[in-house]
Amino acid sequence: MLAEERRQAVVELVRARGAVRLAELAGTLGVSEMTVRRDVAELAARGELDRVHGGAMAPRAASTDEPGFTVKSGQRVAEKTAVAREAVALVEAGSSVALSGGTTTHLAAMMLREVAGLVVVTNSLPVADVLADADGQREVLLVGGRPTPSRALVGPLAVRALDGVNVDVLLLGAHGLDPERGLTTPTLEEAETDRALARSARRVVVLADSAKWRVVGLATALPLEDVDVLVTDAGLPPEAREEAAARVGRLVVAGASDEAPSRTTAARTTPARTTAARTTAARTTAARTTDHLGDAP
C-alpha cells in the first residue's frame, strides 16, 4: 500500500468511527505505530482530521453546525445503540421519564416501548412519534417550541412548558462533551431548553457516544458535574474516561457489540451534587401539568 493510500485509509477509518487510537490504526493497517503517528501528523496538518493524545478524531465541526436528523441517524449506529441500551436499563417500569431530542435518545425511545406504564415528557417530535401509544399503555406529553434540524422543539415555549414538571429520570442527548465546557449545544435556545429538562429531573442521564468527547458547541447547557450518569461507548480512550469519571456521578461505558455489551462504571471523586431542589413527586405532577404543555405543531 502506498503512503497516500494508507493515509486515505486512516481518514476513512477515523471518519467512520469518529475517533480511533493509534494502536488500532496500526493493527488494522499492518504498520507500526510510528508510521501511523507520522500519517496522523500529516493529515492533521492538512485539516483532514484532528490529532489527539494517543489517536485521531474526525475534524470538529463549527460550534453552530448541526446536521439534520436523517443524516445523524445513519452515523455510528452500533455505538449509539449500545449507549441507548445501557441508558434504558436505568429506567424503571411505571416511572416518569423525559427525553430530549437527538438520534441516540430516539433509539432509546424505541427500546422504551418495552417498558410498561411510563409517563413520557419530551421536546422531540421523533421520540413522540415512536412512543405515542393508542392502546393507553403510556402517556406522552409533547412540549411546544421552535423545531431544530434534529426535530427537537426548543425556546421559551418549551422552557415555560417544562416549568413545574417533575420526572424521575431524564435521558439527555448531547451535541458535544468537554471536561471544561461541559455538555454543549449548537444554539442558545437548545441549551436553555436542555437546562429546563435537567431541572425537571431527579436524575440526569446523558447519552453521548465517544465521538462527542471534546466537541464544543456554541452554548453550554450543563457542566459535567450536573450529570448523574454519563453513558458512552468503548471507543472513549482511557484518559478521557478518567477525565469524565472525575466529574460525573457515574460513568457507564457500553460495548459496541449488539450481542454482549460490556459495562464499566466509575464513581466521581468530587462530591455528588445535591438533589434536594428536585422534587420527588414525579409522575403525578407531570400528569397535572398536561394543560400547561404547549401543543405540538
Side-chain angles (χ1 to χ4, degrees), residues 141 166 281 283-292:
L141 310 174
N166 303 289
R283 183 162 55 159
T284 55
T285 306
R288 286 198 300 269
T289 58
T290 303
D291 291 340
H292 300 290

Side-chain angles (χ1 to χ4, degrees), residues 53-218:
H53 180 70
M57 293 179 63
R60 297 177 186 178
S63 64
T64 57
D65 183 53
E66 184 178 11
F69 183 84
T70 301
V71 172
K72 292 196 295 184
S73 293
Q75 298 173 340
R76 297 179 60 82
V77 177
E79 290 85 351
K80 291 177 180 179
T81 300
V83 168
R85 183 180 295 112
E86 293 287 0
V88 167
L90 302 173
V91 179
E92 297 181 0
S95 64
S96 55
V97 56
L99 290 94
S100 73
T103 53
T104 310
T105 50
H106 182 248
L107 288 168
M110 290 190 281
M111 299 175 192
L112 285 172
R113 289 183 294 194
E114 305 302 318
V115 182
L118 295 178
V119 171
V120 178
V121 177
T122 186
N123 69 322
S124 167
L125 293 168
V127 166
D129 287 342
V130 164
L131 290 173
D133 194 336
D135 63 11
Q137 291 300 307
R138 70 186 63 84
E139 183 177 0
V140 179
L141 310 174
L142 177 66
V143 306
R146 182 184 64 80
T148 69
S150 292
R151 301 186 65 203
L153 303 175
V154 301
L157 285 176
V159 172
R160 284 200 297 271
L162 290 164
D163 285 345
V165 172
N166 303 289
V167 297
D168 295 311
V169 62
L170 164 65
L171 302 187
L172 182 62
H175 171 80
L177 288 175
D178 183 83
E180 302 302 327
R181 302 298 180 89
L183 188 151
T184 62
T185 71
T187 71
L188 295 170
E189 284 184 321
E190 193 167 349
E192 182 184 22
T193 304
D194 283 352
R195 284 194 291 273
L197 283 164
R199 287 195 299 270
S200 77
R202 289 195 299 121
R203 194 180 194 195
V204 175
V205 178
V206 171
L207 291 67
D209 66 85
S210 57
K212 305 291 180 65
W213 186 250
R214 290 201 177 277
V215 172
V216 178
L218 177 68

Side-chain angles (χ1 to χ4, degrees), residues 255-274:
S257 168
D258 287 346
E259 290 77 16
S262 61
R263 178 183 295 184
T264 303
T265 62
R268 176 171 57 194
T269 55
T270 55
R273 64 186 171 84
T274 178

